[in-house]
Amino acid sequence: MAINTSEDPKMHLIERGPDGVQLRAVEGLLVSEHAESFSASQTVFADDGQLLACLHTDEVHIYDTRNNSILHRLPTPGTIAVYFSPAGSYLVIYQKANTSGAGEEKNLSVWQLDGAKKVFACFQRTFNNSNRRNLQFSDDESIASRAVTNEVHFYHTNDFLAQPFRLRVPHVSSHKISPGKLPTFVAFVPEMKGQPGSVRLYGVPSGVSDGFSEAEPLSQKSFFRVNEVEYEWAADGSAVLILGSSELDATNRNYYGESSLFFMRADGTLECKVPLDKEGPVHDAAFSPKIDEFVVVYGYMPANATIFSSLKCEPIYQLGAGPHNTVRWNPFGRFICLAGFGNLPGDMQFFDRKADGKYKVIGKARANCSVSAEWSPNGRYLLTATTAPRLNVDNGYKLWRYTGELLQHVARERLFEAKWQPESKNDHLDRPISPGRVRRENRETGGHDHATFQGAAPYRPPHVTSGSGNFSLAKAAPDEAGPGRYRPTGASKAHLSSNSINQGPPGAIFVNPDASKNAAKNAKKRAAARARKQNMS
């Protein structure tokens, strides 16, 4: 496939509102008039963007986005969710398990899109975030897997009706198969009867056929106080992050419970808890799409953002602290956006990864009341959206450059969804910052952009602000907000204390403030003994 090398190749985004779905082209730097309209209550793209599934009350329509034609109408009343297999050959449909849905029929079905044939069906009574994709495919779509009671089943996709290969995993709650040519999978076993919960790593059986196995896991990590997990695989399937969460916080410091982050290598050589140097929840974590690194946003506000090596799970670079709870890599792993959405004001920071592994701030902006953020397929633009029912006012979406420059704001009376149409990974080149691009800071004042460096604001006494000033616990001190090489917590304090240990009036005894009480007491005794010895001599 030829690679589009134009400065701003045409891309498409989709927006869904009360009047239906509109597919719009992004030409140059602006969103143009809509190219096609659809009616749907939900929309799902295939990974390459060539197929679009539109959910209706009684049917699911499959569109070919290359010519905007309907390929199939699948009769599945009461459909709740759908998703495509990695190459778009199959569509998995989940229906309500009641009379308004599948009725007495099996409510989880797999459709082969070449011919619109139902090739597999089963009962799936529960549907939530942990089992949203209970039936999964390997990257080459040769194998499908599904977690059931105490087992994980594996199917040949060319014959779903054959008996599956059964791997026993007692009390398994959820699983996720890895990308890559030699897939593995992780399975979560929750805490039960005083026994700790665990995440276990297994290899996917190479010769899937009728059979049964009780194979030991390649690796296993056990833990307490984890009720649910979310998995994040590296793009090449070499490692996985497991975000564990519980509804209750043992320290009673967080109303939303507590969370912890674990790391496992797919070859079973390393499993550990990710070493985070600040207390508090794990807000977000994501692998780089191209390099052996991942970023974690964690801790009480102002939250820290740290880059880790995915080879040894060691911290290597700090992006700084600030009001952030969201991280987004662009598709090439070159740019990172740190953002604070939800109950945070929407501050965004944009970073550029340099060849020496350093990250440089290239822009700042504020996207007020945003609900979602997504990089464009060419990695040059960020799409943020304010959507209902999360927020019922100020709906619309904004298009940003990778430097934080606001390019366009499209307002809508009511908007349910706005997202990019995916494209093939070979359609765009990884391009560095364009020559002449300057760092910008955008605060959305009247929709205009402002340069980062402005004159100092006039002094305003505290009583004038009436409590509405810029003070925020989510803001970090200037020396903590900027990026830099990773420094362990307390390193700067130790440096200051070592430099000032011999300063002060004669006879003063200084003790390391980071030392324990016993160590401080012993240090004072030794200092007093040295003083007596000097006086005697």
Side-chain angles (χ1 to χ4, degrees):
M1 179 179 293
I3 296 178
N4 194 334
T5 58
S6 62
E7 178 66 20
D8 287 303
K10 180 185 290 188
M11 298 173 292
H12 293 83
L13 60 84
I14 199 167
E15 62 172 88
R16 181 169 58 87
D19 297 329
V21 178
Q22 294 182 344
L23 185 66
R24 295 180 177 271
V26 179
E27 298 178 329
L29 302 179
L30 299 177
V31 179
S32 68
E33 294 298 322
H34 70 272
E36 189 65 32
S37 297
F38 311 94
S39 61
S41 60
Q42 291 184 45
T43 60
V44 178
F45 279 109
D47 289 349
D48 60 2
Q50 295 184 4
L51 297 178
L52 173 66
C54 293
L55 277 64
H56 298 267
T57 304
D58 297 321
E59 292 181 324
V60 174
H61 294 178
I62 308 299
Y63 289 86
D64 186 340
T65 58
R66 291 167 293 186
N67 52 26
N68 298 321
S69 62
I70 295 183
L71 297 178
H72 307 292
R73 289 184 173 90
L74 306 179
T76 53
T79 299
I80 297 177
V82 302
Y83 56 91
F84 289 91
S85 59
S89 303
Y90 300 91
L91 182 72
V92 181
I93 299 179
Y94 178 79
Q95 300 170 258
K96 296 178 181 177
N98 54 29
T99 55
S100 64
E104 299 297 327
E105 301 294 325
K106 297 174 180 178
N107 63 320
L108 180 66
S109 56
V110 180
W111 295 73
Q112 187 174 6
L113 296 181
D114 183 10
K117 298 178 295 185
K118 184 191 292 189
V119 295
F120 178 78
C122 63
F123 289 104
Q124 182 71 34
R125 296 300 185 189
T126 60
F127 179 79
N128 51 46
N129 288 333
S130 63
N131 65 2
R132 187 178 184 88
R133 293 201 175 195
N134 191 33
L135 194 144
Q136 303 169 23
F137 295 85
S138 59
D139 264 4
D140 61 3
E141 297 185 347
S142 63
I143 295 173
S145 62
R146 176 173 176 255
V148 299
T149 305
N150 295 323
E151 294 178 350
V152 178
H153 291 180
F154 295 90
Y155 301 86
H156 270 304
T157 55
N158 57 5
D159 188 7
F160 269 104
L161 298 180
Q163 288 296 318
F165 182 89
R166 299 178 295 137
L167 177 65
R168 181 167 175 78
V169 183
H171 310 297
V172 60
S173 173
S174 65
H175 82 301
K176 188 169 185 179
I177 195 168
S178 74
K181 296 181 179 179
L182 297 175
T184 56
F185 76 94
V186 283
F188 171 56
V189 177
E191 182 179 346
M192 186 173 296
K193 297 181 179 179
Q195 297 298 315
S198 63
V199 169
R200 305 174 186 181
L201 174 71
Y202 294 88
V204 172
S206 56
V208 179
S209 59
D210 184 15
F212 177 79
S213 173
E214 295 189 30
E216 292 295 321
L218 301 175
S219 181
Q220 177 174 321
K221 181 63 179 177
S222 300
F223 37 68
F224 285 100
R225 300 199 307 273
V226 172
N227 305 123
E228 294 183 358
V229 296
E230 297 178 19
Y231 311 101
E232 172 78 13
W233 276 102
D236 59 357
S238 61
V240 63
L241 291 170
I242 303 103
L243 176 59
S245 60
S246 63
E247 296 178 354
L248 300 176
D249 183 4
T251 63
N252 290 325
R253 295 183 63 184
N254 193 340
Y255 174 80
Y256 299 99
E258 62 180 315
S259 56
S260 51
L261 189 65
F262 305 93
F263 173 88
M264 302 179 79
R265 294 284 303 175
D267 56 8
T269 58
L270 177 63
E271 50 84 14
C272 64
K273 186 174 182 178
V274 178
L276 305 179
D277 59 1
K278 187 173 185 178
E279 292 185 359
V282 179
H283 304 287
D284 202 0
F287 279 100
S288 168
K290 297 293 184 182
I291 54 179
D292 293 324
E293 293 178 356
F294 64 91
V295 61
V296 185
V297 183
Y298 59 95
Y300 296 112
M301 292 294 161
N304 285 358
T306 302
I307 303 291
F308 289 80
S309 166
S310 58
L311 299 177
K312 298 182 179 180
C313 193
E314 295 177 347
I316 55 178
Y317 205 87
Q318 292 175 321
L319 298 181
H324 305 132
N325 57 10
T326 303
V327 62
R328 296 288 185 269
W329 294 88
N330 88 328
F332 304 100
R334 176 178 293 275
F335 303 130
I336 294 181
C337 175
L338 280 180
F341 299 145
N343 59 351
L344 295 175
D347 290 336
M348 300 190 297
Q349 272 190 299
F350 296 85
F351 297 83
D352 177 30
R353 187 185 189 279
K354 301 300 182 180
D356 59 0
K358 295 181 179 179
Y359 289 80
K360 180 182 178 182
V361 179
I362 55 175
K364 296 181 180 180
R366 173 169 289 182
N368 294 316
C369 302
S370 293
V371 174
S372 62
E374 182 184 9
W375 283 99
S376 62
N378 70 354
R380 312 292 284 182
Y381 310 113
L382 187 77
L383 177 69
T384 61
T386 303
T387 57
R390 178 71 178 270
L391 288 173
N392 292 316
V393 295
D394 297 331
N395 280 192
Y397 55 90
K398 299 182 179 74
L399 196 63
W400 309 83
R401 199 191 298 274
Y402 58 87
T403 55
E405 178 185 358
L406 179 61
L407 301 176
Q408 189 175 10
H409 177 195
V410 179
R412 293 286 182 261
E413 185 68 25
R414 192 168 177 84
L415 181 69
F416 299 133
E417 183 180 33
K419 60 185 177 183
W420 293 102
Q421 177 184 355
E423 296 183 13
S424 172
K425 298 178 181 178
N426 298 323
D427 284 352
H428 301 278
L429 288 173
D430 177 19
R431 293 186 288 137
I433 296 177
S434 300
R437 289 293 176 202
V438 296
R439 174 178 168 180
R440 302 181 67 86
E441 184 170 358
N442 188 326
R443 292 295 174 183
E444 295 185 19
T445 306
H448 300 286
D449 297 332
H450 301 276
T452 300
F453 303 102
Q454 300 179 357
Y459 172 74
R460 300 179 68 194
H463 69 274
V464 175
T465 64
S466 300
S468 60
N470 291 326
F471 173 76
S472 172
L473 292 176
K475 291 185 178 180
D479 59 338
E480 296 179 355
R485 291 293 181 185
Y486 177 79
R487 300 184 305 275
T489 301
S492 58
K493 293 182 180 179
H495 175 71
L496 293 175
S497 61
S498 63
N499 287 344
S500 59
I501 194 71
N502 294 323
Q503 299 178 4
I509 300 174
F510 291 91
V511 179
N512 186 351
D514 294 330
S516 64
K517 291 183 178 180
N518 288 335
K521 186 176 181 181
N522 292 334
K524 290 182 179 180
K525 289 182 178 179
R526 288 193 295 269
R530 285 196 299 269
R532 288 195 299 270
K533 186 175 181 180
Q534 291 177 358
N535 293 334
M536 293 176 62
S537 61

